mmCIF file with all atom_site columns, all heavy atoms in Angstrom:
data_model
loop_
_atom_site.group_PDB
_atom_site.id
_atom_site.type_symbol
_atom_site.label_atom_id
_atom_site.label_alt_id
_atom_site.label_comp_id
_atom_site.label_asym_id
_atom_site.label_entity_id
_atom_site.label_seq_id
_atom_site.pdbx_PDB_ins_code
_atom_site.Cartn_x
_atom_site.Cartn_y
_atom_site.Cartn_z
_atom_site.occupancy
_atom_site.B_iso_or_equiv
_atom_site.pdbx_formal_charge
_atom_site.auth_seq_id
_atom_site.auth_comp_id
_atom_site.auth_asym_id
_atom_site.auth_atom_id
_atom_site.pdbx_PDB_model_num
ATOM 1  N N   . GLY A 1 73 ? 62.060 102.894 111.287 1.00 51.00 ? 670 GLY A N   1
ATOM 2  C CA  . GLY A 1 73 ? 61.161 104.013 111.569 1.00 51.00 ? 670 GLY A CA  1
ATOM 3  C C   . GLY A 1 73 ? 61.755 105.065 112.428 1.00 51.00 ? 670 GLY A C   1
ATOM 4  O O   . GLY A 1 73 ? 61.053 105.972 112.931 1.00 51.00 ? 670 GLY A O   1
ATOM 5  N N   . GLU A 1 74 ? 63.105 105.046 112.596 1.00 51.00 ? 671 GLU A N   1
ATOM 6  C CA  . GLU A 1 74 ? 63.765 106.062 113.446 1.00 51.00 ? 671 GLU A CA  1
ATOM 7  C C   . GLU A 1 74 ? 63.898 107.402 112.729 1.00 51.00 ? 671 GLU A C   1
ATOM 8  O O   . GLU A 1 74 ? 64.061 108.447 113.325 1.00 51.00 ? 671 GLU A O   1
ATOM 9  C CB  . GLU A 1 74 ? 65.127 105.544 113.901 1.00 51.00 ? 671 GLU A CB  1
ATOM 10 C CG  . GLU A 1 74 ? 65.027 104.278 114.746 1.00 51.00 ? 671 GLU A CG  1
ATOM 11 C CD  . GLU A 1 74 ? 66.363 103.781 115.170 1.00 51.00 ? 671 GLU A CD  1
ATOM 12 O OE1 . GLU A 1 74 ? 67.332 104.581 115.051 1.00 51.00 ? 671 GLU A OE1 1
ATOM 13 O OE2 . GLU A 1 74 ? 66.491 102.585 115.586 1.00 51.00 ? 671 GLU A OE2 1
ATOM 14 N N   . VAL A 1 75 ? 63.918 107.359 111.392 1.00 45.00 ? 672 VAL A N   1
ATOM 15 C CA  . VAL A 1 75 ? 63.975 108.565 110.581 1.00 45.00 ? 672 VAL A CA  1
ATOM 16 C C   . VAL A 1 75 ? 62.846 108.547 109.608 1.00 45.00 ? 672 VAL A C   1
ATOM 17 O O   . VAL A 1 75 ? 62.401 107.524 109.160 1.00 45.00 ? 672 VAL A O   1
ATOM 18 C CB  . VAL A 1 75 ? 65.376 108.719 109.917 1.00 45.00 ? 672 VAL A CB  1
ATOM 19 C CG1 . VAL A 1 75 ? 66.435 108.932 110.897 1.00 45.00 ? 672 VAL A CG1 1
ATOM 20 C CG2 . VAL A 1 75 ? 65.634 107.507 109.040 1.00 45.00 ? 672 VAL A CG2 1
ATOM 21 N N   . GLN A 1 76 ? 62.338 109.689 109.272 1.00 44.00 ? 673 GLN A N   1
ATOM 22 C CA  . GLN A 1 76 ? 61.187 109.790 108.336 1.00 44.00 ? 673 GLN A CA  1
ATOM 23 C C   . GLN A 1 76 ? 61.620 109.670 106.906 1.00 44.00 ? 673 GLN A C   1
ATOM 24 O O   . GLN A 1 76 ? 60.850 109.275 106.056 1.00 44.00 ? 673 GLN A O   1
ATOM 25 C CB  . GLN A 1 76 ? 60.387 111.081 108.617 1.00 44.00 ? 673 GLN A CB  1
ATOM 26 C CG  . GLN A 1 76 ? 59.881 111.220 110.015 1.00 44.00 ? 673 GLN A CG  1
ATOM 27 C CD  . GLN A 1 76 ? 58.895 110.091 110.324 1.00 44.00 ? 673 GLN A CD  1
ATOM 28 O OE1 . GLN A 1 76 ? 58.110 109.736 109.459 1.00 44.00 ? 673 GLN A OE1 1
ATOM 29 N NE2 . GLN A 1 76 ? 58.955 109.584 111.526 1.00 44.00 ? 673 GLN A NE2 1
ATOM 30 N N   . SER A 1 77 ? 62.829 110.061 106.573 1.00 45.00 ? 674 SER A N   1
ATOM 31 C CA  . SER A 1 77 ? 63.266 110.021 105.210 1.00 45.00 ? 674 SER A CA  1
ATOM 32 C C   . SER A 1 77 ? 64.767 109.753 105.173 1.00 45.00 ? 674 SER A C   1
ATOM 33 O O   . SER A 1 77 ? 65.433 109.817 106.190 1.00 45.00 ? 674 SER A O   1
ATOM 34 C CB  . SER A 1 77 ? 62.980 111.416 104.527 1.00 45.00 ? 674 SER A CB  1
ATOM 35 O OG  . SER A 1 77 ? 63.667 112.409 105.199 1.00 45.00 ? 674 SER A OG  1
ATOM 36 N N   . MET A 1 78 ? 65.212 109.442 103.995 1.00 46.00 ? 675 MET A N   1
ATOM 37 C CA  . MET A 1 78 ? 66.595 109.032 103.843 1.00 46.00 ? 675 MET A CA  1
ATOM 38 C C   . MET A 1 78 ? 67.466 110.298 103.750 1.00 46.00 ? 675 MET A C   1
ATOM 39 O O   . MET A 1 78 ? 67.830 110.780 102.596 1.00 46.00 ? 675 MET A O   1
ATOM 40 C CB  . MET A 1 78 ? 66.747 108.167 102.603 1.00 46.00 ? 675 MET A CB  1
ATOM 41 C CG  . MET A 1 78 ? 68.074 107.590 102.417 1.00 46.00 ? 675 MET A CG  1
ATOM 42 S SD  . MET A 1 78 ? 68.508 106.470 103.755 1.00 46.00 ? 675 MET A SD  1
ATOM 43 C CE  . MET A 1 78 ? 70.185 106.046 103.312 1.00 46.00 ? 675 MET A CE  1
ATOM 44 N N   . THR A 1 79 ? 67.769 110.926 104.816 1.00 50.00 ? 676 THR A N   1
ATOM 45 C CA  . THR A 1 79 ? 68.555 112.161 104.838 1.00 50.00 ? 676 THR A CA  1
ATOM 46 C C   . THR A 1 79 ? 70.024 111.864 105.118 1.00 50.00 ? 676 THR A C   1
ATOM 47 O O   . THR A 1 79 ? 70.336 110.894 105.888 1.00 50.00 ? 676 THR A O   1
ATOM 48 C CB  . THR A 1 79 ? 68.019 113.167 105.838 1.00 50.00 ? 676 THR A CB  1
ATOM 49 O OG1 . THR A 1 79 ? 68.035 112.526 107.132 1.00 50.00 ? 676 THR A OG1 1
ATOM 50 C CG2 . THR A 1 79 ? 66.596 113.559 105.523 1.00 50.00 ? 676 THR A CG2 1
ATOM 51 N N   . ARG A 1 80 ? 70.898 112.679 104.613 1.00 53.00 ? 677 ARG A N   1
ATOM 52 C CA  . ARG A 1 80 ? 72.331 112.495 104.877 1.00 53.00 ? 677 ARG A CA  1
ATOM 53 C C   . ARG A 1 80 ? 72.692 113.157 106.227 1.00 53.00 ? 677 ARG A C   1
ATOM 54 O O   . ARG A 1 80 ? 72.093 114.111 106.602 1.00 53.00 ? 677 ARG A O   1
ATOM 55 C CB  . ARG A 1 80 ? 73.132 113.130 103.786 1.00 53.00 ? 677 ARG A CB  1
ATOM 56 C CG  . ARG A 1 80 ? 72.934 112.484 102.410 1.00 53.00 ? 677 ARG A CG  1
ATOM 57 C CD  . ARG A 1 80 ? 73.810 113.010 101.349 1.00 53.00 ? 677 ARG A CD  1
ATOM 58 N NE  . ARG A 1 80 ? 75.184 112.503 101.605 1.00 53.00 ? 677 ARG A NE  1
ATOM 59 C CZ  . ARG A 1 80 ? 75.624 111.340 101.073 1.00 53.00 ? 677 ARG A CZ  1
ATOM 60 N NH1 . ARG A 1 80 ? 74.845 110.566 100.416 1.00 53.00 ? 677 ARG A NH1 1
ATOM 61 N NH2 . ARG A 1 80 ? 76.846 110.976 101.276 1.00 53.00 ? 677 ARG A NH2 1
ATOM 62 N N   . PRO A 1 81 ? 73.699 112.655 106.887 1.00 57.00 ? 678 PRO A N   1
ATOM 63 C CA  . PRO A 1 81 ? 74.065 113.252 108.160 1.00 57.00 ? 678 PRO A CA  1
ATOM 64 C C   . PRO A 1 81 ? 74.809 114.588 107.925 1.00 57.00 ? 678 PRO A C   1
ATOM 65 O O   . PRO A 1 81 ? 75.118 114.969 106.790 1.00 57.00 ? 678 PRO A O   1
ATOM 66 C CB  . PRO A 1 81 ? 75.082 112.203 108.710 1.00 57.00 ? 678 PRO A CB  1
ATOM 67 C CG  . PRO A 1 81 ? 75.604 111.529 107.504 1.00 57.00 ? 678 PRO A CG  1
ATOM 68 C CD  . PRO A 1 81 ? 74.475 111.504 106.529 1.00 57.00 ? 678 PRO A CD  1
ATOM 69 N N   . ASP A 1 82 ? 75.047 115.302 108.997 1.00 66.00 ? 679 ASP A N   1
ATOM 70 C CA  . ASP A 1 82 ? 75.790 116.575 108.881 1.00 66.00 ? 679 ASP A CA  1
ATOM 71 C C   . ASP A 1 82 ? 77.166 116.261 108.360 1.00 66.00 ? 679 ASP A C   1
ATOM 72 O O   . ASP A 1 82 ? 77.794 115.296 108.692 1.00 66.00 ? 679 ASP A O   1
ATOM 73 C CB  . ASP A 1 82 ? 75.905 117.217 110.308 1.00 66.00 ? 679 ASP A CB  1
ATOM 74 C CG  . ASP A 1 82 ? 74.580 117.632 110.846 1.00 66.00 ? 679 ASP A CG  1
ATOM 75 O OD1 . ASP A 1 82 ? 73.658 117.895 110.009 1.00 66.00 ? 679 ASP A OD1 1
ATOM 76 O OD2 . ASP A 1 82 ? 74.391 117.734 112.037 1.00 66.00 ? 679 ASP A OD2 1
#
Side-chain angles (χ1 to χ4, degrees):
E671 296 178 18
V672 292
Q673 298 299 322
S674 60
M675 188 62 184
T676 57
R677 299 187 71 87
D679 294 336

